[in-house]
């Protein structure tokens, strides 16, 4: 699926964006017939409302869309998108009413309303289309929308059709589309090439575990993205209850997000040396599953006591991080659906991130609202380091006590990230309740904020 603006045509209908507080003054600008039509309707300018104005022949001549009150807009994201599904399947051209600093954001939301995950059902009919307004970077908005669509589709696809091999195929497709190189280490070759924890987590599954390594670009700073690719998580021998297993197809949401971010970077032509590392596994159960009480030795030599096989994401990320750190990149990022503790802390909409880099943190905090991609900085709280040190080994993959689970997971990962600039995102990757431009299902988090922050931080 390609999300894109409509071409400008003489048939494009004017679309007036009208706030609740501005409705009376707007009505005064209309013809008497249209003014009477609006007054006779229930249109109040509220968010989510739309109204088609008929021409003399009865055919649609224009439309209104509600922009709500300032208070209502402050509580909403992608305001215009709330009403797009109620518009007829025609082409529209905005005729004012959206502040200039919100225009690209609202256009992005419009494009995202066209996303459908229709692999297993008949395609839904087309909806309302939008002509790119003057002043909007049409190419940039389309790049952002299609990167989001890629991430959503990867997450939404069930594990039966999105295992490690299919995730590899998706990465290869993206690499091929942008001229990137790709190398994949599979199965026992992981042991031969010193990725013991990726192998240990994935060895029980029918599809062999693998490390996907994609590279693009030959100039500029080096940026390494590491995404958790646990294509399904049963919990291993610490088996999840059924209610907790139902959404585990989304446990590869970190890999889906870094692939979406990589698409933004490559399609935008950034002058960077991009590397994407994805440890792709299924955490399954069989006679050779790794066990509670096992002690694994990571790629960088640190030993890890396994106190819960359901804390597997940090294990596969650790080997990939250690591998990425060997090249001393200018910046390394991890994206992972890592802990339930993060969801308890900030809910499903906000992407918490960890970094000691003040410039990166400030850039992300500034970019989040501008990109309609809320993020929140969490602390690498050094006094909690003792919680991940069990005594019998260097590290504990699942500290007891239940406190600060997202922080201790981030501290665990930092042990493998080397001494360079590093940031970690503990995302949810799922919209549990349908929202404007964000249907229930897989969702991208943090990538748009990064797409704005990284050029500043990397000096591009």
């Amino acid at each position: 699926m390609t999300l894109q603006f409509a071409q400008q045509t003489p048939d494009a209908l004017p679309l007036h964006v009208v706030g609740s507080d501005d409705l009376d003054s707007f009505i005064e600008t209309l013809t008497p017939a249209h003014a009477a039509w609006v007054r006779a309707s229930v249109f109040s300018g509220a968010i989510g409302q739309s109204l088609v104005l008929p021409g003399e022949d009865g055919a649609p001549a224009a439309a209104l869309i509600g922009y709500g009150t300032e208070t209502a807009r402050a509580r909403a994201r992608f305001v215009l998108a709330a009403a797009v599904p109620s518009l007829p399947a025609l082409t529209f051209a905005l005729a004012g009413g959206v502040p200039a600093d919100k225009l690209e954001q609202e256009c992005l939301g419009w494009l995202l309303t066209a996303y459908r995950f229709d692999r297993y059902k008949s395609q839904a009919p087309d909806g309302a289309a939008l002509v790119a307004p003057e002043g909007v970077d049409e190419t940039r908005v389309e790049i952002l929308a299609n990167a989001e669509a890629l991430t959503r589709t990867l997450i939404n696809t069930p594990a039966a059709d999105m295992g490690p091999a299919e995730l590899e195929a998706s990465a290869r497709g993206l690499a091929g589309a942008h001229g990137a190189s790709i190398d994949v280490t599979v199965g026992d070759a992981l042991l031969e090439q010193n990725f013991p924890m990726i192998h240990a987590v994935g060895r029980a599954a029918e599809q062999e575990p693998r490390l996907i390594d994609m590279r693009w670009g030959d100039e500029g700073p080096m940026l390494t993205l590491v995404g958790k690719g646990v294509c399904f998580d049963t919990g291993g021998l610490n088996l999840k209850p059924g209610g907790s297993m139902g959404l585990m197809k989304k446990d590869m949401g970190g890999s889906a997000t870094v692939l979406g971010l990589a698409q933004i970077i490559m399609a935008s032509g950034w002058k960077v040396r991009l590397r994407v590392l994805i440890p792709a596994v299924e955490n399954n159960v069989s006679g050779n599953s790794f066990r509670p009480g096992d002690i694994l030795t990571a790629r960088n030599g640190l030993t890890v006591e396994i106190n819960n096989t359901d804390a597997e994401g940090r294990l596969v990320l650790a080997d990939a991080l250690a591998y990425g750190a060997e090249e001393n990149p200018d910046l390394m990022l991890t994206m992972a659906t890592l802990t339930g503790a993060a969801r308890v802390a900030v809910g499903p909409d906000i992407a918490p991130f960890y970094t000691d880099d003040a410039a990166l943190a400030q850039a992300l905090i500034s970019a989040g609202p501008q990109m309609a991609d809320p993020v929140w900085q969490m602390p690498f709280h050094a006094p909690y380091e003792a919680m991940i040190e069990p005594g019998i080994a260097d590290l504990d993959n699942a500290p007891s006590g239940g406190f600060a689970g997202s922080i201790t997971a981030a501290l665990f990962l930092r042990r493998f990230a080397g001494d360079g600039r590093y940031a970690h995102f503990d995302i949810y990757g799922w919209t549990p309740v349908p929202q404007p431009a964000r249907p229930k299902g897989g969702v991208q988090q943090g990538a748009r904020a990064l797409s704005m922050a990284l050029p500043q931080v990397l000096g591009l």
Side-chain angles (χ1 to χ4, degrees), residues 315-329:
L315 302 177
V316 299
L317 286 170
D319 271 353
L321 270 171
Y323 187 40
E326 291 167 11
E327 288 193 340
N328 298 310

Side-chain angles (χ1 to χ4, degrees), residues 90-253:
L90 301 171
T91 298
F92 294 91
L94 286 178
V98 179
D101 63 341
K102 294 291 185 181
L103 193 54
E104 284 201 359
Q105 186 180 121
E106 295 293 2
C107 288
L108 174 64
W110 186 301
L111 293 191
L112 290 176
T113 64
Y115 173 80
R116 304 284 187 275
F117 181 62
D118 54 16
R119 177 169 177 170
Y120 304 98
K121 60 187 294 187
S122 299
Q123 187 171 354
D126 292 336
L130 180 68
V131 175
E134 186 176 349
V136 166
D137 187 335
E138 182 176 350
T139 299
R140 170 177 163 77
V141 175
E142 290 181 344
I143 287 172
L144 293 173
N146 285 290
E148 169 88 17
L150 171 65
T151 296
R152 289 182 182 183
T153 296
L154 291 173
I155 296 173
N156 285 331
T157 304
D161 293 321
M162 188 52 66
E166 290 81 10
L167 185 56
E168 175 191 334
S170 297
R172 288 188 181 277
L174 181 63
H178 294 281
S181 65
I182 193 163
D183 181 69
V184 182
T185 306
V186 182
D188 289 343
L190 290 165
L191 291 177
E192 298 166 6
Q193 297 186 36
N194 193 24
F195 299 106
M197 294 209 293
I198 298 174
H199 184 272
V201 171
R203 70 192 183 202
E206 183 177 347
Q207 283 199 22
E208 292 183 299
R210 63 206 65 208
L211 177 65
I212 301 164
D213 187 351
M214 184 174 76
R215 295 176 184 266
W216 176 87
D218 56 9
E219 61 178 308
M222 185 173 187
L223 171 64
T224 298
L225 310 177
V226 184
K228 176 184 170 184
V230 178
C231 296
F232 194 82
D233 182 17
T234 67
L237 292 177
N238 291 113
L239 196 68
K240 293 177 182 288
S244 299
M245 210 183 296
L247 278 182
M248 283 301 98
K249 68 176 184 178
K250 79 172 184 67
D251 213 20
M252 41 65 71

